[in-house]
Amino acid sequence: MTCRRKWIQISIIAAIMLVLPFFFPSGYYYRVGALVFVNALSVVGLVILVGYAGQISLGHAGFAGIGAYACALAPTHLGLHPAVAILLGALISAALALLIGRPILRLKGYYLGVATLGFGILVSMVLSNERALTGGPDGMSVPDLGLRSLLRDMGWRISGGEFWYGLNAVVLLIGIWIALNLYQSATGRAMRALHGSEVAAQTVGIDVPRIKLQAFVISAVYASVAGSLLALQNGFITPEVAGFMHSVEMVTMAVLGGVGSVLGATLGAAILTLLPQVLTVFAEYEQLVLGLIMVLVMIFLPRGLLPSIVAKLRGRGE
Amino acid sequence: MKLTTALTTLMALGLATGAGAEIRLGASLSASGGAAFLGDPEAKTLEMLVEEVNAAGGINGEEIVLTLYDDGGDPNKARTFATRLVEDDEVVAIIGGTTTGTTMSVLSVAEDEGIPFISLAGAIQIIDPVRDYVFKTPHTDRMACEKIFTDMQTRGISKIGMIAGTDGFGASMEAQCKDVAGDHGIEILVAETYAPQDADMTPQLTKIKATEGVQAVLNPGFGQGPAIVTRNYAQIGLDLPLYQSHGVASDGFIELTGVEAAEGVRLPGTALLIADILEDGDAQKPVVMAYKTAYEAKYGEAVSTFGGYAHDAFRLMVDAIARAGSDDPDEIRDALEETRDLVGTTGIYSFSADDHLGLNLSAFRMLEIRDGAWTSID
């Protein structure tokens, strides 16, 4: 991928983000858009871990939970500004990923999946059982970011939906830009090399445990920031954000869109966030439809939606 | 998307609506997911009542159009649906929030947009502090504790043991009970806990049995836990009065424990549970019987306290809209706050500027299980 292609990809996404609001019939669509962007951000992080480095994680919602609760707890207990709390959450997530990543990433395949799964469940258990601190399963409220009222003071009145649509779009673009840059960097090449063959990567002098750890920590930070943004835009958070289902949802989004492709992951996040909204009429069959889509994609488009379609368009090129 | 909305409305109604004047109500309930046993009867109740009111000519001649979404117990989805209800479906009032989590996320939308909202969840934080547009129908854990402690006082009990589930319901009620025990001169000598999936509570109960001076045992909990506690309680021959919470107030509880073990267990419940044995003069009897008969005839399953919460929320809303004589959200809100003595299945509601729950302890009936059936001992 050349440098020009990277900018083309980013411009396409930015253009879509800018044009879409002109077709929104009501403010509710901004809200859905903001949700799509948040989910896409955590999935882009997962692409770095799963798509680039070939490591699986079924516990990434744990990091989202840490990011989310950092924004709920730090302002109330430590008196920090929510914006600082996002950074604090990201730092804690990174530190934790570093700490558990070293032993966990020695595992391969299913074992790695189960170990990360355990981590995610631990986080969500702590969040639901430490009632005194986190409010337990009933959740707790999250203070306002304060940016919107700042804009209002400057004479720029926008609704909550519009604000979060804009902010999350910018953060997602930055996230995509970093991920695409990483893809081309030496570290990114090393990640892809060990994805292809760990032994081969080792023989050409790649520090495999170190590179794996880097991918794990980076993707943890993505999930944490996404969790923080989610908490702040909802103004309320429950331990479900760290739950197993949320982890599975993230992996599903990545796999559906194309786990090796940043744009594909964004597409996957968009589809799986929008589907439940479109399917409200068939609420009872929602799970059925989702499952069917997953099975069909796995059978007919095993590399995920976007990469498979691009390959087809190019006549089996690449 | 427009088509989707139109379809939803049609489905929710079960009939095609004309172009005449209509009142748009919205609901976001957890009809699927972990809280489905709460949300499902709530959704069914709302659909049934909307049909009923429309068949009888609507509110002041205007038809009710209900848009109902299933948030699956996910606070995220609930918030998105609440935004959708307000901005896309243009509803004038919202009922819902099956769980405290979903309620809290719908609540901020309702407050921001100035839309009256009646929640069906239990936690006290929903209405304390009082928020302008937020009301709720279920009584709080705290009230259940007070009701139980009042009953203990009349029996001369002052020293108790407590065994609570660590699930959301059990833990929350345990904390509230500890908080109000002092006000009723009750001393908690020993407090044990169990996890929701535990299959045997004998060790905890044995410890309570061995504690000197315990006069009664209280078990805040939900689901199968309290049934196991009750069975173990009988097995180890603990011969003290046992109090359960309103969380197990259903016939299913007696089926799980067996008639013998359940004998003499007391718990606070609503009038709906003992509809058949309510005295004829009881103010709640006609309301409770009407709802019970209609629901059981339509769906072929027993009514639950939770569907009753939705019933009460809907009645409160309809009453307020009728009195306001308009579908302006602010006027509905004002009318809601002026509600006096509206008889529901859960209790008799009177809202005021600083009370958006509107129930008092009389809403709870102290029940005792005798020979496998509920008896009121108030």
Side-chain angles (χ1 to χ4, degrees), chain A residues 88-169:
Chain A
L88 183 71
L91 263 177
I92 297 174
S93 292
L96 213 64
L98 205 65
L99 201 71
I100 64 159
R102 210 161 258 289
I104 273 188
L105 288 166
R106 297 165 74 102
L107 304 168
K108 291 194 176 66
Y110 304 127
Y111 300 101
L112 178 61
V114 171
T116 49
L117 177 81
F119 163 75
I121 291 178
L122 266 179
V123 173
S124 83
M125 273 176 70
V126 168
L127 292 178
S128 24
N129 286 331
E130 288 303 312
R131 285 200 140 255
L133 199 61
T134 65
D138 285 347
M140 66 183 297
S141 52
V142 182
D144 192 62
L145 186 56
L147 247 178
R148 213 176 114 212
S149 47
L150 207 69
L151 287 177
R152 194 179 300 155
D153 292 343
M154 287 160 56
W156 198 20
R157 295 183 65 91
I158 52 174
S159 78
E162 287 163 355
F163 170 75
W164 285 107
Y165 183 89
L167 182 69
N168 293 353

Side-chain angles (χ1 to χ4, degrees), chain B residues 335-358:
Chain B
L336 256 181
E337 202 166 72
E338 285 160 13
T339 303
R340 293 287 175 276
D341 300 323
L342 185 126
V343 182
T345 63
T346 314
I348 298 168
Y349 295 89
S350 295
F351 290 131
S352 69
D354 45 51
D355 181 11
H356 280 193
L357 168 60

Side-chain angles (χ1 to χ4, degrees), chain A residues 12-24 26-38 145 148 151 156 158-173 229 232-234 266 270 274, chain B residues 79 87:
Chain A
I12 291 174
I13 297 192
I16 294 175
M17 286 170 168
L18 271 177
V19 172
L20 270 184
F22 289 108
F23 299 100
F24 288 173
S26 78
Y28 145 72
Y29 295 85
Y30 284 101
R31 182 58 221 170
V32 178
L35 209 57
V36 169
F37 297 157
V38 160
L145 186 56
R148 213 176 114 212
L151 287 177
W156 198 20
I158 52 174
S159 78
E162 287 163 355
F163 170 75
W164 285 107
Y165 183 89
L167 182 69
N168 293 353
V170 172
V171 177
L172 175 61
L173 282 176
L229 290 175
L232 286 168
Q233 67 179 358
N234 279 351
T266 314
L274 291 177
Chain B
R79 167 126 194 184
E87 298 194 351

